Every structure is written in structure tokens, then in C-alpha cells.
Amino acid sequence: IYSFMEPFHDHKDCGKESDPSCLSVIEGSLFAEAYNCDFELAPKPGWAERAKKQLYRSDYVFAHYVHYATVTAGLLQTKAEAHKTGKDWYMHFRESKSNDKFTDEIHQAVMLHTKTTVPEYTTDWKARCKVDFKPAHGQNCRVGFPWPQNNKDSLVKATSDGFGYNCFTNKKLTDFWIPKLIDAIEKRQLRIDHLRNMNII
């Protein structure tokens, strides 16, 4: 989100100190704040299912590779164990879609993608983010300008500086979770400072 970014020049594609052409997330900003800007309003459309992430019970997953559950209890189930429970057993195992439960993104849970946007990806943002800019392949605006009140149908399509609105914020995150997180971080820091003063850490 633009309001959590500042000018950046320290890369060959980012201009110079007197005229920086990139943006960088302001140091100290929370990922949950800086990246709370989704290009689709919740709930997500059907095509977004391909990017879904799964949550498993901890006793079901025996091994992970990055964020993939590569070894699960279902994969390890033997033929005899399957037959005991009245299930079919196949040599080639695949997790069943019938076991999936999709969350209600409005009322149950939502995942916020917070992949870092490196400064050089924002090069020429002043041109690429203008409301009337027609991007060539790979030249999209990589800076978030949230729609006011998440209203894409607003007659106003751009900021006062002419940057086009292009994303939606998660209001529950903004109004409820981020304040709780900031409060928890501050309390933790106070606790750490107290322990340091007592020479405990």
C-alpha cells in the first residue's frame, strides 16, 4: 500500500538519489499493514481456487516441503488399514477433494498474501500507476492504492494525484487484528526491556 512506502533509489533500475523512481516499504511497517491490499474483493471468485492453501490437523501431516504437505496420514495408510475401515485402497494416493472444507472468507478466516515487493519491481511507478496508463506486458502497477471504503463502483477512480485505485483492504484486519498485533508487540517489547533491566536476558 502506497501509504506504507517511501522513495527508493539504491538499485540500478531505481533512478538516483535526487530523483528516485522506485518505492520501498517503510522500515518498521508491519507486513499485515503494508500488504493488506488484494486485487479481488472477498469472497474470492472461483478461479482463485488454484491458489488455495490448506490447513491440516497437526497429527495428519508427517512431513512438509516448504508449504506443501508431502507426507500425510492418508498417504501412509496401508492396504490392510484401509480395508479395516471399509475404504478402498489405491497404489497411487491423492488427497480427496471431498475432504476439503472451504472457509467463509468474510466470517471465518482469510489468508493475506504478504510476499515482499522488492523496490526494483516498482520502477516507474509514477507512470505505471496513473489511472489512464495502458500497461504493456509486465508493466502493471505494483503499488497498492486501495479503493475508498472498498467501493469499486465509486465515480472517483483515482487519488488526487491521479493514481488509479487498484485493490481492496481487509477491514477486519485493519480495524481489529492489526491494532491487537501492535498492542501485543508493544507489550512484548516492554517485557523484554524489563527483563534486560533486571539482567535476566
Side-chain angles (χ1 to χ4, degrees):
I1 294 179
Y2 176 70
S3 58
F4 294 99
M5 305 186 93
E6 63 186 358
F8 180 91
H9 71 277
D10 196 14
H11 184 275
K12 64 181 179 62
D13 297 329
C14 292
K16 50 193 178 186
E17 188 172 2
S18 60
D19 186 24
S21 62
C22 297
L23 293 172
S24 176
V25 174
I26 297 168
E27 189 174 339
S29 298
L30 299 174
F31 266 60
E33 293 175 310
Y35 295 96
N36 182 14
C37 197
D38 208 327
F39 293 106
E40 292 291 341
L41 188 60
K44 300 285 189 309
W47 61 258
E49 184 181 328
R50 63 183 168 76
K52 71 179 181 179
K53 299 294 181 277
Q54 294 170 301
L55 298 174
Y56 290 103
R57 294 188 315 274
S58 57
D59 62 347
Y60 186 75
V61 180
F62 288 83
H64 287 280
Y65 175 71
V66 189
H67 58 258
Y68 299 100
T70 54
V71 181
T72 64
L75 176 69
L76 297 176
Q77 188 176 52
T78 66
K79 190 173 186 179
E81 289 169 341
H83 289 164
K84 257 188 207 176
T85 59
K87 294 179 183 173
D88 292 328
W89 184 87
Y90 302 97
M91 187 185 325
H92 302 287
F93 175 77
R94 179 179 290 178
E95 293 292 342
S96 171
K97 278 194 167 188
S98 65
N99 293 332
D100 284 351
K101 178 186 181 298
F102 288 91
T103 59
D104 176 339
E105 290 183 86
I106 305 296
H107 300 104
Q108 291 179 313
V110 67
M111 185 181 77
L112 178 69
H113 284 269
T114 58
K115 182 179 178 181
T116 299
T117 298
V118 293
E120 56 268 30
Y121 289 176
T122 67
T123 189
D124 296 328
W125 69 274
K126 290 178 185 175
R128 295 179 182 184
C129 296
K130 288 291 186 179
V131 70
D132 55 356
F133 180 75
K134 304 289 185 235
H137 179 71
Q139 292 188 341
N140 291 333
C141 174
R142 300 289 292 268
V143 179
F145 292 91
W147 286 93
Q149 285 77 50
N150 283 341
N151 181 11
K152 193 175 185 177
D153 297 324
S154 168
L155 295 176
V156 180
K157 305 294 183 188
T159 68
S160 58
D161 293 321
F163 299 117
Y165 296 126
N166 58 11
C167 63
F168 304 93
T169 56
N170 182 305
K171 292 298 183 187
K172 183 81 179 253
L173 191 59
T174 303
D175 300 337
F176 181 76
W177 289 113
I178 289 175
K180 285 179 81 70
L181 177 58
I182 290 171
D183 183 56
I185 290 169
E186 289 171 354
K187 285 178 179 171
R188 180 177 185 269
Q189 189 58 51
L190 288 173
R191 176 78 176 138
I192 289 170
D193 293 342
H194 175 69
L195 293 174
R196 281 193 179 131
N197 290 336
M198 296 177 64
N199 294 320
I200 294 174
I201 57 172

PDB file of all heavy atoms in Angstrom, residues 36-59:
ATOM      1  N   ASN A  36      -1.851  -5.335   2.998  1.00  0.00           N
ATOM      2  CA  ASN A  36      -3.302  -5.543   3.136  1.00  0.00           C
ATOM      3  C   ASN A  36      -4.002  -4.870   1.954  1.00  0.00           C
ATOM      4  O   ASN A  36      -4.692  -3.869   2.095  1.00  0.00           O
ATOM      5  CB  ASN A  36      -3.791  -4.961   4.468  1.00  0.00           C
ATOM      6  CG  ASN A  36      -5.264  -5.200   4.691  1.00  0.00           C
ATOM      7  OD1 ASN A  36      -5.902  -6.007   3.999  1.00  0.00           O
ATOM      8  ND2 ASN A  36      -5.843  -4.490   5.643  1.00  0.00           N
ATOM      9  N   CYS A  37      -3.806  -5.435   0.786  1.00  0.00           N
ATOM     10  CA  CYS A  37      -4.272  -4.802  -0.448  1.00  0.00           C
ATOM     11  C   CYS A  37      -4.452  -5.896  -1.492  1.00  0.00           C
ATOM     12  O   CYS A  37      -3.500  -6.299  -2.148  1.00  0.00           O
ATOM     13  CB  CYS A  37      -3.206  -3.799  -0.896  1.00  0.00           C
ATOM     14  SG  CYS A  37      -3.773  -2.591  -2.090  1.00  0.00           S
ATOM     15  N   ASP A  38      -5.654  -6.409  -1.627  1.00  0.00           N
ATOM     16  CA  ASP A  38      -5.917  -7.536  -2.522  1.00  0.00           C
ATOM     17  C   ASP A  38      -6.618  -7.047  -3.782  1.00  0.00           C
ATOM     18  O   ASP A  38      -7.507  -6.204  -3.715  1.00  0.00           O
ATOM     19  CB  ASP A  38      -6.789  -8.568  -1.803  1.00  0.00           C
ATOM     20  CG  ASP A  38      -6.565  -9.966  -2.329  1.00  0.00           C
ATOM     21  OD1 ASP A  38      -6.285 -10.100  -3.533  1.00  0.00           O
ATOM     22  OD2 ASP A  38      -6.678 -10.914  -1.549  1.00  0.00           O
ATOM     23  N   PHE A  39      -6.254  -7.616  -4.904  1.00  0.00           N
ATOM     24  CA  PHE A  39      -6.829  -7.174  -6.177  1.00  0.00           C
ATOM     25  C   PHE A  39      -8.239  -7.702  -6.409  1.00  0.00           C
ATOM     26  O   PHE A  39      -8.897  -7.286  -7.356  1.00  0.00           O
ATOM     27  CB  PHE A  39      -5.901  -7.542  -7.335  1.00  0.00           C
ATOM     28  CG  PHE A  39      -4.608  -6.777  -7.276  1.00  0.00           C
ATOM     29  CD1 PHE A  39      -3.431  -7.393  -6.888  1.00  0.00           C
ATOM     30  CD2 PHE A  39      -4.578  -5.423  -7.549  1.00  0.00           C
ATOM     31  CE1 PHE A  39      -2.241  -6.673  -6.804  1.00  0.00           C
ATOM     32  CE2 PHE A  39      -3.401  -4.691  -7.459  1.00  0.00           C
ATOM     33  CZ  PHE A  39      -2.236  -5.319  -7.094  1.00  0.00           C
ATOM     34  N   GLU A  40      -8.686  -8.622  -5.565  1.00  0.00           N
ATOM     35  CA  GLU A  40     -10.064  -9.127  -5.638  1.00  0.00           C
ATOM     36  C   GLU A  40     -10.738  -8.891  -4.297  1.00  0.00           C
ATOM     37  O   GLU A  40     -10.151  -9.125  -3.239  1.00  0.00           O
ATOM     38  CB  GLU A  40     -10.091 -10.622  -5.962  1.00  0.00           C
ATOM     39  CG  GLU A  40      -9.612 -10.965  -7.361  1.00  0.00           C
ATOM     40  CD  GLU A  40     -10.557 -10.511  -8.452  1.00  0.00           C
ATOM     41  OE1 GLU A  40     -11.734 -10.256  -8.157  1.00  0.00           O
ATOM     42  OE2 GLU A  40     -10.116 -10.419  -9.611  1.00  0.00           O
ATOM     43  N   LEU A  41     -11.978  -8.465  -4.333  1.00  0.00           N
ATOM     44  CA  LEU A  41     -12.748  -8.258  -3.106  1.00  0.00           C
ATOM     45  C   LEU A  41     -13.259  -9.603  -2.612  1.00  0.00           C
ATOM     46  O   LEU A  41     -13.718 -10.425  -3.400  1.00  0.00           O
ATOM     47  CB  LEU A  41     -13.922  -7.322  -3.399  1.00  0.00           C
ATOM     48  CG  LEU A  41     -14.739  -6.818  -2.212  1.00  0.00           C
ATOM     49  CD1 LEU A  41     -13.869  -6.024  -1.245  1.00  0.00           C
ATOM     50  CD2 LEU A  41     -15.891  -5.950  -2.700  1.00  0.00           C
ATOM     51  N   ALA A  42     -13.152  -9.864  -1.320  1.00  0.00           N
ATOM     52  CA  ALA A  42     -13.650 -11.129  -0.755  1.00  0.00           C
ATOM     53  C   ALA A  42     -15.179 -11.153  -0.833  1.00  0.00           C
ATOM     54  O   ALA A  42     -15.816 -10.108  -0.705  1.00  0.00           O
ATOM     55  CB  ALA A  42     -13.183 -11.277   0.690  1.00  0.00           C
ATOM     56  N   PRO A  43     -15.749 -12.359  -1.033  1.00  0.00           N
ATOM     57  CA  PRO A  43     -15.073 -13.645  -1.236  1.00  0.00           C
ATOM     58  C   PRO A  43     -14.482 -13.763  -2.635  1.00  0.00           C
ATOM     59  O   PRO A  43     -14.998 -13.177  -3.585  1.00  0.00           O
ATOM     60  CB  PRO A  43     -16.191 -14.662  -1.024  1.00  0.00           C
ATOM     61  CG  PRO A  43     -17.438 -13.944  -1.397  1.00  0.00           C
ATOM     62  CD  PRO A  43     -17.220 -12.507  -1.038  1.00  0.00           C
ATOM     63  N   LYS A  44     -13.378 -14.534  -2.735  1.00  0.00           N
ATOM     64  CA  LYS A  44     -12.664 -14.673  -3.995  1.00  0.00           C
ATOM     65  C   LYS A  44     -13.515 -15.398  -5.040  1.00  0.00           C
ATOM     66  O   LYS A  44     -14.313 -16.271  -4.701  1.00  0.00           O
ATOM     67  CB  LYS A  44     -11.381 -15.474  -3.790  1.00  0.00           C
ATOM     68  CG  LYS A  44     -10.400 -14.881  -2.830  1.00  0.00           C
ATOM     69  CD  LYS A  44      -9.673 -13.706  -3.440  1.00  0.00           C
ATOM     70  CE  LYS A  44      -8.539 -13.218  -2.584  1.00  0.00           C
ATOM     71  NZ  LYS A  44      -8.887 -12.975  -1.205  1.00  0.00           N
ATOM     72  N   PRO A  45     -13.312 -15.068  -6.317  1.00  0.00           N
ATOM     73  CA  PRO A  45     -14.016 -15.787  -7.384  1.00  0.00           C
ATOM     74  C   PRO A  45     -13.490 -17.216  -7.524  1.00  0.00           C
ATOM     75  O   PRO A  45     -12.424 -17.553  -6.989  1.00  0.00           O
ATOM     76  CB  PRO A  45     -13.704 -14.959  -8.629  1.00  0.00           C
ATOM     77  CG  PRO A  45     -12.462 -14.213  -8.301  1.00  0.00           C
ATOM     78  CD  PRO A  45     -12.475 -13.980  -6.816  1.00  0.00           C
ATOM     79  N   GLY A  46     -14.212 -18.048  -8.248  1.00  0.00           N
ATOM     80  CA  GLY A  46     -13.854 -19.460  -8.391  1.00  0.00           C
ATOM     81  C   GLY A  46     -12.466 -19.702  -8.946  1.00  0.00           C
ATOM     82  O   GLY A  46     -11.792 -20.657  -8.555  1.00  0.00           O
ATOM     83  N   TRP A  47     -11.990 -18.835  -9.860  1.00  0.00           N
ATOM     84  CA  TRP A  47     -10.680 -19.070 -10.468  1.00  0.00           C
ATOM     85  C   TRP A  47      -9.555 -19.015  -9.436  1.00  0.00           C
ATOM     86  O   TRP A  47      -8.466 -19.547  -9.648  1.00  0.00           O
ATOM     87  CB  TRP A  47     -10.410 -18.092 -11.614  1.00  0.00           C
ATOM     88  CG  TRP A  47     -10.387 -16.635 -11.241  1.00  0.00           C
ATOM     89  CD1 TRP A  47     -11.369 -15.724 -11.439  1.00  0.00           C
ATOM     90  CD2 TRP A  47      -9.326 -15.911 -10.591  1.00  0.00           C
ATOM     91  NE1 TRP A  47     -11.006 -14.483 -10.964  1.00  0.00           N
ATOM     92  CE2 TRP A  47      -9.752 -14.572 -10.441  1.00  0.00           C
ATOM     93  CE3 TRP A  47      -8.059 -16.270 -10.135  1.00  0.00           C
ATOM     94  CZ2 TRP A  47      -8.960 -13.596  -9.844  1.00  0.00           C
ATOM     95  CZ3 TRP A  47      -7.269 -15.289  -9.531  1.00  0.00           C
ATOM     96  CH2 TRP A  47      -7.724 -13.979  -9.395  1.00  0.00           C
ATOM     97  N   ALA A  48      -9.802 -18.373  -8.302  1.00  0.00           N
ATOM     98  CA  ALA A  48      -8.747 -18.223  -7.287  1.00  0.00           C
ATOM     99  C   ALA A  48      -8.495 -19.523  -6.531  1.00  0.00           C
ATOM    100  O   ALA A  48      -7.528 -19.627  -5.786  1.00  0.00           O
ATOM    101  CB  ALA A  48      -9.122 -17.115  -6.311  1.00  0.00           C
ATOM    102  N   GLU A  49      -9.343 -20.534  -6.751  1.00  0.00           N
ATOM    103  CA  GLU A  49      -9.174 -21.807  -6.042  1.00  0.00           C
ATOM    104  C   GLU A  49      -7.810 -22.423  -6.309  1.00  0.00           C
ATOM    105  O   GLU A  49      -7.235 -23.084  -5.460  1.00  0.00           O
ATOM    106  CB  GLU A  49     -10.280 -22.790  -6.455  1.00  0.00           C
ATOM    107  CG  GLU A  49     -10.220 -24.095  -5.686  1.00  0.00           C
ATOM    108  CD  GLU A  49     -11.298 -25.079  -6.122  1.00  0.00           C
ATOM    109  OE1 GLU A  49     -12.389 -24.644  -6.513  1.00  0.00           O
ATOM    110  OE2 GLU A  49     -11.014 -26.287  -6.070  1.00  0.00           O
ATOM    111  N   ARG A  50      -7.252 -22.173  -7.506  1.00  0.00           N
ATOM    112  CA  ARG A  50      -5.954 -22.768  -7.851  1.00  0.00           C
ATOM    113  C   ARG A  50      -4.843 -22.307  -6.903  1.00  0.00           C
ATOM    114  O   ARG A  50      -3.815 -22.963  -6.775  1.00  0.00           O
ATOM    115  CB  ARG A  50      -5.594 -22.443  -9.301  1.00  0.00           C
ATOM    116  CG  ARG A  50      -5.427 -20.966  -9.566  1.00  0.00           C
ATOM    117  CD  ARG A  50      -5.138 -20.670 -11.033  1.00  0.00           C
ATOM    118  NE  ARG A  50      -5.266 -19.258 -11.337  1.00  0.00           N
ATOM    119  CZ  ARG A  50      -4.390 -18.331 -11.021  1.00  0.00           C
ATOM    120  NH1 ARG A  50      -3.314 -18.662 -10.350  1.00  0.00           N
ATOM    121  NH2 ARG A  50      -4.585 -17.069 -11.353  1.00  0.00           N
ATOM    122  N   ALA A  51      -5.038 -21.165  -6.255  1.00  0.00           N
ATOM    123  CA  ALA A  51      -4.004 -20.629  -5.354  1.00  0.00           C
ATOM    124  C   ALA A  51      -4.332 -20.899  -3.896  1.00  0.00           C
ATOM    125  O   ALA A  51      -3.735 -20.317  -3.005  1.00  0.00           O
ATOM    126  CB  ALA A  51      -3.846 -19.136  -5.584  1.00  0.00           C
ATOM    127  N   LYS A  52      -5.278 -21.805  -3.639  1.00  0.00           N
ATOM    128  CA  LYS A  52      -5.704 -22.058  -2.264  1.00  0.00           C
ATOM    129  C   LYS A  52      -4.560 -22.631  -1.432  1.00  0.00           C
ATOM    130  O   LYS A  52      -3.631 -23.238  -1.952  1.00  0.00           O
ATOM    131  CB  LYS A  52      -6.887 -23.024  -2.234  1.00  0.00           C
ATOM    132  CG  LYS A  52      -6.521 -24.450  -2.603  1.00  0.00           C
ATOM    133  CD  LYS A  52      -7.721 -25.368  -2.535  1.00  0.00           C
ATOM    134  CE  LYS A  52      -7.298 -26.794  -2.884  1.00  0.00           C
ATOM    135  NZ  LYS A  52      -8.409 -27.723  -2.822  1.00  0.00           N
ATOM    136  N   LYS A  53      -4.625 -22.414  -0.158  1.00  0.00           N
ATOM    137  CA  LYS A  53      -3.690 -23.011   0.788  1.00  0.00           C
ATOM    138  C   LYS A  53      -4.511 -23.842   1.767  1.00  0.00           C
ATOM    139  O   LYS A  53      -5.630 -23.486   2.117  1.00  0.00           O
ATOM    140  CB  LYS A  53      -2.915 -21.934   1.553  1.00  0.00           C
ATOM    141  CG  LYS A  53      -2.076 -21.039   0.655  1.00  0.00           C
ATOM    142  CD  LYS A  53      -0.957 -21.805  -0.014  1.00  0.00           C
ATOM    143  CE  LYS A  53      -0.089 -20.927  -0.903  1.00  0.00           C
ATOM    144  NZ  LYS A  53      -0.634 -20.706  -2.229  1.00  0.00           N
ATOM    145  N   GLN A  54      -3.932 -24.961   2.192  1.00  0.00           N
ATOM    146  CA  GLN A  54      -4.671 -25.864   3.058  1.00  0.00           C
ATOM    147  C   GLN A  54      -4.129 -25.824   4.480  1.00  0.00           C
ATOM    148  O   GLN A  54      -2.938 -25.643   4.700  1.00  0.00           O
ATOM    149  CB  GLN A  54      -4.579 -27.294   2.519  1.00  0.00           C
ATOM    150  CG  GLN A  54      -5.286 -27.474   1.185  1.00  0.00           C
ATOM    151  CD  GLN A  54      -4.976 -28.810   0.552  1.00  0.00           C
ATOM    152  OE1 GLN A  54      -3.837 -29.123   0.291  1.00  0.00           O
ATOM    153  NE2 GLN A  54      -6.011 -29.591   0.319  1.00  0.00           N
ATOM    154  N   LEU A  55      -5.027 -26.001   5.423  1.00  0.00           N
ATOM    155  CA  LEU A  55      -4.660 -26.173   6.822  1.00  0.00           C
ATOM    156  C   LEU A  55      -5.025 -27.598   7.206  1.00  0.00           C
ATOM    157  O   LEU A  55      -6.124 -28.062   6.909  1.00  0.00           O
ATOM    158  CB  LEU A  55      -5.440 -25.191   7.707  1.00  0.00           C
ATOM    159  CG  LEU A  55      -5.194 -23.710   7.453  1.00  0.00           C
ATOM    160  CD1 LEU A  55      -6.150 -22.880   8.299  1.00  0.00           C
ATOM    161  CD2 LEU A  55      -3.755 -23.349   7.786  1.00  0.00           C
ATOM    162  N   TYR A  56      -4.113 -28.289   7.846  1.00  0.00           N
ATOM    163  CA  TYR A  56      -4.352 -29.658   8.280  1.00  0.00           C
ATOM    164  C   TYR A  56      -4.246 -29.758   9.796  1.00  0.00           C
ATOM    165  O   TYR A  56      -3.541 -28.971  10.427  1.00  0.00           O
ATOM    166  CB  TYR A  56      -3.286 -30.591   7.691  1.00  0.00           C
ATOM    167  CG  TYR A  56      -3.348 -30.831   6.207  1.00  0.00           C
ATOM    168  CD1 TYR A  56      -2.461 -30.199   5.349  1.00  0.00           C
ATOM    169  CD2 TYR A  56      -4.282 -31.706   5.666  1.00  0.00           C
ATOM    170  CE1 TYR A  56      -2.485 -30.436   3.980  1.00  0.00           C
ATOM    171  CE2 TYR A  56      -4.311 -31.959   4.300  1.00  0.00           C
ATOM    172  CZ  TYR A  56      -3.413 -31.318   3.466  1.00  0.00           C
ATOM    173  OH  TYR A  56      -3.445 -31.563   2.123  1.00  0.00           O
ATOM    174  N   ARG A  57      -4.881 -30.766  10.345  1.00  0.00           N
ATOM    175  CA  ARG A  57      -4.617 -31.100  11.749  1.00  0.00           C
ATOM    176  C   ARG A  57      -3.154 -31.533  11.841  1.00  0.00           C
ATOM    177  O   ARG A  57      -2.645 -32.221  10.963  1.00  0.00           O
ATOM    178  CB  ARG A  57      -5.536 -32.238  12.211  1.00  0.00           C
ATOM    179  CG  ARG A  57      -6.996 -31.893  12.265  1.00  0.00           C
ATOM    180  CD  ARG A  57      -7.807 -33.027  12.923  1.00  0.00           C
ATOM    181  NE  ARG A  57      -7.430 -34.343  12.425  1.00  0.00           N
ATOM    182  CZ  ARG A  57      -7.949 -34.896  11.325  1.00  0.00           C
ATOM    183  NH1 ARG A  57      -8.864 -34.250  10.609  1.00  0.00           N
ATOM    184  NH2 ARG A  57      -7.559 -36.088  10.934  1.00  0.00           N
ATOM    185  N   SER A  58      -2.484 -31.143  12.898  1.00  0.00           N
ATOM    186  CA  SER A  58      -1.049 -31.437  13.012  1.00  0.00           C
ATOM    187  C   SER A  58      -0.757 -32.936  13.041  1.00  0.00           C
ATOM    188  O   SER A  58       0.297 -33.373  12.582  1.00  0.00           O
ATOM    189  CB  SER A  58      -0.474 -30.769  14.259  1.00  0.00           C
ATOM    190  OG  SER A  58      -1.177 -31.206  15.404  1.00  0.00           O
ATOM    191  N   ASP A  59      -1.685 -33.740  13.546  1.00  0.00           N
ATOM    192  CA  ASP A  59      -1.430 -35.178  13.598  1.00  0.00           C
ATOM    193  C   ASP A  59      -1.670 -35.865  12.252  1.00  0.00           C
ATOM    194  O   ASP A  59      -1.442 -37.067  12.112  1.00  0.00           O
ATOM    195  CB  ASP A  59      -2.281 -35.850  14.687  1.00  0.00           C
ATOM    196  CG  ASP A  59      -3.780 -35.716  14.433  1.00  0.00           C
ATOM    197  OD1 ASP A  59      -4.188 -34.922  13.567  1.00  0.00           O
ATOM    198  OD2 ASP A  59      -4.557 -36.414  15.122  1.00  0.00           O
TER     199      ASP A  59
END
